[in-house]
Amino acid sequence: MKPKPQKNTGKFNKKPTKADQKQKPNFKQKYKQKKQDNKPNKPEIRKMIRQQKAAEAQAERDKINAEKEARIKAYKKQRLEKTKAISKRTQRGQPLMKDRMQLLLKQIEEMKGRQ
């Protein structure tokens, strides 16, 4: 009887071991070392720009809202003064003309000031 030939024997069928393999340069490691600079990459730059624009827009909105609230407060104060002056009455329930005349005088002076 002949002996059976063993598989994977020979020069070409041999599996290379780690010692037999040549080490290839690790390009990824070099790339990582190069990238470790503290420079932000493009997505980070875009994100920073978006945040700056959002902060500026928020500041603008806050400023507009503050101005709007100030105008509303001034208007409410003016309206309150006007209603107080108009709602004054005498003991018999008649409106006080003195305060109404002062309001009319104020309105006339404001109109002259605008022109």
Side-chain angles (χ1 to χ4, degrees):
M1 228 174 143
K2 290 183 179 178
K4 290 185 179 179
Q6 293 179 356
K7 291 185 177 180
N8 290 335
T9 57
K11 189 175 182 183
F12 296 105
N13 293 333
K14 200 183 220 185
K15 287 185 179 178
T17 60
K18 286 192 175 183
D20 294 339
Q21 290 179 346
K22 291 182 180 177
Q23 256 193 328
K24 295 178 182 175
N26 194 351
F27 291 110
K28 290 182 181 177
Q29 190 176 17
K30 286 182 182 178
Y31 177 71
K32 285 182 182 177
Q33 287 175 354
K34 198 177 205 181
K35 194 175 179 180
Q36 284 179 351
D37 297 335
N38 289 332
K39 294 180 183 177
N41 55 17
K42 285 187 179 181
E44 290 173 350
I45 292 171
R46 278 186 252 134
K47 186 178 179 182
M48 289 167 45
I49 291 171
R50 266 189 250 121
Q51 288 174 346
Q52 288 174 350
K53 285 183 181 179
E56 289 171 3
Q58 183 65 33
E60 188 69 27
R61 283 192 298 262
D62 292 342
K63 183 180 175 185
I64 290 170
N65 285 341
E67 290 173 357
K68 185 177 179 181
E69 288 175 11
R71 284 192 308 254
I72 290 171
K73 280 185 179 181
Y75 174 73
K76 284 186 178 182
K77 184 179 177 184
Q78 184 182 11
R79 191 178 67 192
L80 183 68
E81 288 176 7
K82 184 177 178 182
T83 53
K84 277 187 179 180
I86 289 177
S87 65
K88 287 187 180 177
R89 306 254 172 197
T90 62
Q91 284 182 334
R92 294 191 179 187
Q94 299 298 317
L96 276 175
M97 286 295 135
K98 175 182 145 187
D99 293 331
R100 290 186 181 215
M101 290 298 158
Q102 286 179 353
L103 270 177
L104 288 171
L105 182 64
K106 253 189 202 178
Q107 286 179 352
I108 292 169
E109 287 173 352
E110 287 176 6
M111 285 180 164
K112 283 186 176 180
R114 287 183 199 159
Q115 292 176 351

